[in-house]
Amino acid sequence: MITRILEYVFPRYCCLCGDPTTSTTNFCHGCLDDLPWVENACPRCATPLQGPGVCGVCQRSAPFYTRSIAALRYSWPVNRIVHAMKYQGQLDAVDTLAALMALKIEGQIARIPQQLIPVPLHPRRLRTRGFNQSLELARRLANRFQVIANSESVIRRVDTRPQTDFDGERRRRNMRDAFLATGSIYCKHVAIVDDVMTSGATCDELAKTLVGAGAIEVDVWAVARADFVPRLSTARTAGGPHQ
């Protein structure tokens, strides 16, 4: 009853078309359906595919993370919402993006991880931006799924250049040894939370750190999957480095 009263007094409006909506995503049903949802994707790295199956790259060289879920493609209007959140400080967009992630996750996942690990920012970049968008997303998802958002077990010890400055293997080299575990990971099943996944190099390096600290299963939860950037083969085998 309280919820209905609040919706009557303070109605929500779709952030795209302006029509009234009761959805927690802040989209009306029509605009929600029209968003660039990821329909078919590699279950390991979330690369969009034409049909179900594991992508060729993951068959040849599996990443350290076990599975990935990206809710949407990184295209309009998702790219504008993410940009507003990260670079214009519009933190109200976090609620919208987290709600969209939750819709996708609830439809795909069988077991909820024990902890959510936001991709950490280097202290210098955190001071500049004022907040960590991955942590803000993780907090809302942790509240939704009743788990812990753990931002203290891993730090970013290298202030790496933005991944947008590189492509292909140079992204992997840019992230090498960028993270440090501050202690053991006692939860065996964790999920990395990120805003946009492109090549997967950042999440792969973070997953490598988490596996080294004791994690067995590392999922990746992302708002969006950007256009595919080839992840070049490494010495790892398709079974995953920790199996």
Side-chain angles (χ1 to χ4, degrees), residues 22-200:
T22 57
S23 172
T24 57
T25 64
N26 294 322
F27 289 95
C28 69
H29 293 298
C31 290
L32 187 64
D33 290 341
D34 288 340
L35 289 176
W37 296 98
V38 174
E39 299 297 339
N40 291 303
C42 173
R44 196 76 187 240
C45 70
T47 298
L49 302 173
Q50 294 298 318
V54 178
C55 74
V57 176
C58 285
Q59 291 183 39
R60 294 190 302 272
S61 173
F64 279 91
Y65 45 83
T66 309
R67 63 186 66 83
S68 300
I69 298 176
L72 302 141
R73 291 176 181 265
Y74 191 60
S75 59
W76 192 90
V78 179
N79 52 358
R80 298 293 297 274
I81 299 173
V82 171
H83 189 276
M85 174 186 67
K86 290 177 67 172
Y87 303 114
Q88 298 173 9
Q90 295 184 16
L91 291 182
D92 54 340
V94 177
D95 294 327
T96 296
L97 296 174
L100 295 174
M101 292 175 72
L103 283 178
K104 187 70 171 183
I105 292 164
E106 289 170 343
Q108 286 197 353
I109 199 162
R111 288 188 301 113
I112 300 297
Q114 297 160 289
Q115 287 189 1
L116 305 184
I117 310 291
V119 175
L121 289 179
H122 189 272
R124 186 178 296 112
R125 190 167 302 179
L126 182 60
R127 286 194 298 271
T128 300
R129 185 170 297 170
F131 66 97
N132 180 351
Q133 72 280 355
S134 296
L135 175 56
E136 297 301 324
L137 289 166
R139 283 172 171 164
R140 287 154 177 78
L141 291 169
N143 183 62
R144 177 74 169 258
F145 294 109
Q146 297 299 293
V147 294
I148 296 172
N150 180 356
S151 61
E152 300 178 354
S153 290
V154 183
I155 61 172
R156 195 168 192 142
R157 62 179 176 182
V158 179
D159 189 12
T160 57
R161 288 177 58 184
Q163 287 289 75
T164 52
D165 291 351
F166 306 101
D167 56 17
E169 181 62 20
R170 295 174 66 193
R171 286 177 175 245
R172 185 173 299 283
R173 291 200 300 268
N174 184 50
M175 295 307 302
R176 189 169 296 155
D177 299 324
F179 303 106
L180 176 68
T182 58
S184 297
I185 303 295
Y186 297 104
C187 293
K188 300 306 180 184
H189 184 195
V190 300
I192 295 169
V193 177
D194 202 3
D195 54 349
V196 181
M197 191 176 181
T198 305
S199 68

Side-chain angles (χ1 to χ4, degrees), residues 199-214:
S199 68
T202 299
C203 290
D204 199 21
E205 187 66 30
L206 179 52
K208 175 183 174 182
T209 302
L210 293 170
V211 168

